[in-house]
Amino acid sequence: MPPESNHLPDAPVGRVIASHSDRHTVEYDGRRYECALRGLLRKTGVEALCGDWVALDRLDDINGAARIVEILPRRVELARPRVANIDQVLIVHSVLDPAFNDEAVERLLIRAALCGIDALLCLSKQDLAPRDAIDAIAHRYEDHLNTPAIKASIRDPDTLTALVEALTGKVTALAGPSGVGKSSLLNALNPALRLRVADVSGKIGRGRHTTRHAALLEVRPHAWVADTPGFSNLKFTDTLPPALERAFHEFAAWRPDCAFANCLHLDEIDCAVRAQSGGELDRARYERYCVFQAEARECAERLKRESAKSEYGLKRLDAVGRGRTREEFRLKGKNREASRRVHRQRAVRDSQTETAHGEAFLEDVE
Ligand code: GDP
Ligand code: ZN
């Protein structure tokens, strides 16, 4: 449901479904309008992103044109692709060909959790894998990781019903390595999209819709999918360790019993989470957590280094400043406090950015 305009309660509100520099295609009431931003808005430097809700005026139904007069507040914003107001991420992975990769899927799941976006798993190419292998994976994700798992195959259109249901009424970002059948699934849902799929030799073609600008595709009525270009860096070197820890939602059950309130469950004594590894907590899952934490530690160390460097700079300034008035020294002390504050804020911001602005979803994990 579109939100209401803050300033113009009666203005029609539509959603941007494609953006090309300053031209935006807005869907309103089942129709499409080519829109530019009102001059006043353009001057403020704001951008209308794909997925944004916008208030319109000057609707011209004959020429399919209108004008954007307001961009409504965003709920979430993904950085790559730059899309706003994504409701969920659909992580697609085959069971066989290519073989299911827990680490790749978990990286995407954790990314979604860091962004505060719901994730679901689509186990694709189910015609290729034995039923019990598919069920085992679905069971693990549904029961242990609280992630709905949908099984699908383009060879069997009946299997697509659950997928359509999950996508309807939502804006979904697709994620998953190349070759797992993302484009094929979208084509199966809406053949008019004619997205390019990998040829029989296995060579992966870039989707025909892969442009520098994001677009939302309506794969079924009221089911919108963000056409995501590929992404590569899915390492957690941009995430602070405590944020990563919180993204492992299942730890919540044991975390209160750790000896330290800020326990990261690595080598701390009396850690209740680590004690579960090999028991209720899948050992392989815990080991992946440790791998991801090693990446996050790089982020923490980088911040520490940056912070130390600027403190050193300030100390030198102090030395140079010897002989200056007390007033100047006092000011410098303040600056240093301000600099510490900036670093702290930056650390907090970096650990939270992913909620505010989202991060890269995507494919090409290999
Ligand atoms: P993408 O890179 O994730 O978009 O994957 P593609 O859609 O390009 O598909 C990769 C390959 O998998 C293509 O050769 C498809 O024909 C094949 N494929 C996709 N979906 C299925 C499926 O459900 N069953 C089988 N057997 N093959 C599939
Ligand atoms: Zn612990």
Side-chain angles (χ1 to χ4, degrees):
M1 266 292 114
E4 249 184 35
S5 161
N6 295 330
H7 309 300
L8 311 154
D10 297 325
V13 170
R15 178 156 46 200
V16 178
I17 57 167
S19 277
H20 295 277
S21 52
D22 58 349
R23 305 299 305 174
H24 309 282
T25 308
V26 176
E27 216 241 7
Y28 165 67
D29 203 16
R31 299 189 52 141
R32 291 177 187 193
Y33 297 87
E34 292 307 313
C35 304
L37 290 187
R38 173 191 193 166
L40 219 64
L41 266 185
R42 242 194 341 259
K43 278 196 200 119
T44 64
V46 295
E47 257 184 297
L49 296 186
C50 209
D52 265 331
W53 292 104
V54 291
L56 304 173
D57 75 354
R58 299 190 184 165
L59 262 69
D60 172 353
D61 281 328
I62 296 165
N63 297 307
R67 185 174 75 153
I68 296 174
V69 289
E70 183 186 353
I71 299 165
L72 302 183
R74 280 169 204 147
R75 226 175 351 92
V76 271
E77 179 185 328
L78 291 190
R80 284 166 294 157
R82 279 201 83 193
V83 279
N85 303 329
I86 290 287
D87 295 305
Q88 59 186 8
V89 176
L90 181 76
I91 301 169
V92 183
H93 210 304
S94 40
V95 175
L96 289 178
D97 191 26
F100 193 78
N101 179 337
D102 276 302
E103 181 180 330
V105 170
E106 282 185 25
R107 281 186 186 275
L108 292 166
L109 265 184
I110 300 292
R111 276 282 164 207
L114 287 166
C115 296
I117 302 177
D118 289 339
L120 25 146
L121 178 64
C122 174
L123 293 169
S124 57
K125 308 195 191 184
Q126 76 153 353
D127 56 296
L128 295 181
R131 175 150 292 277
D132 50 351
I134 304 171
D135 287 346
I137 296 172
H139 167 76
R140 187 170 106 70
Y141 279 82
E142 291 200 313
D143 295 357
H144 296 286
L145 301 180
N146 214 5
T147 307
I150 299 164
K151 305 158 196 169
S153 162
I154 57 163
R155 305 267 186 266
D156 178 2
D158 286 347
T159 63
L160 302 178
T161 317
L163 188 58
V164 171
E165 208 171 289
L167 298 180
T168 301
K170 303 252 166 78
V171 180
T172 306
L174 277 201
S178 308
V180 296
K182 295 183 296 301
S183 313
S184 305
L185 277 173
L186 297 185
N187 284 337
L189 295 174
N190 182 351
L193 295 175
R194 298 175 56 225
L195 300 171
R196 194 183 302 155
V197 303
D199 61 25
V200 275
S201 72
K203 204 169 151 291
I204 308 299
R206 279 270 145 246
R208 162 189 311 206
H209 283 263
T210 306
T211 56
R212 284 191 330 112
H213 306 279
L216 297 183
L217 310 173
E218 193 168 24
V219 295
R220 282 285 169 99
H222 310 293
W224 295 90
V225 171
D227 176 18
T228 50
F231 294 99
S232 47
N233 185 16
L234 284 167
K235 292 204 174 223
F236 293 105
T237 46
D238 55 353
T239 305
L240 284 173
L244 182 65
E245 191 273 340
R246 283 192 300 276
F248 278 71
H249 294 156
E250 80 266 35
F251 289 3
W254 311 299
R255 187 186 292 134
D257 297 327
C258 291
F260 300 106
N262 59 352
C263 186
L264 289 177
H265 328 303
L266 297 168
D267 44 23
E268 296 91 338
I269 51 162
D270 289 338
C271 169
V273 172
R274 199 176 60 232
Q276 292 295 336
S277 170
E280 290 214 12
L281 172 60
D282 184 30
R283 188 183 301 278
R285 165 94 169 156
Y286 175 71
E287 282 166 4
R288 283 191 288 275
Y289 168 75
C290 295
V291 170
F292 299 167
Q293 274 296 4
E295 294 169 9
R297 200 155 51 234
E298 280 183 37
C299 173
E301 278 163 11
R302 196 176 60 243
L303 277 177
K304 226 188 286 169
R305 268 199 312 276
E306 278 172 16
S307 167
K309 222 189 278 167
S310 66
E311 292 261 322
Y312 173 68
L314 283 167
K315 274 190 195 125
R316 276 180 35 147
L317 254 182
D318 277 348
V320 173
R322 250 175 236 133
R324 288 195 187 162
T325 65
R326 281 169 71 93
E327 188 56 28
E328 278 171 318
F329 269 113
R330 215 165 56 75
L331 261 177
K332 234 179 284 157
K334 263 195 196 157
N335 285 345
R336 181 187 296 188
E337 186 41 46
S339 148
R340 285 207 184 103
R341 203 166 55 236
V342 166
H343 279 290
R344 267 199 306 273
Q345 282 166 351
R346 190 183 297 164
V348 171
R349 190 200 58 207
D350 283 358
S351 71
Q352 291 171 345
T353 325
E354 294 169 321
T355 321
H357 302 292
E359 245 320 298
F361 267 107
L362 340 236
E363 45 187 87
D364 298 343
V365 194
E366 51 293 73

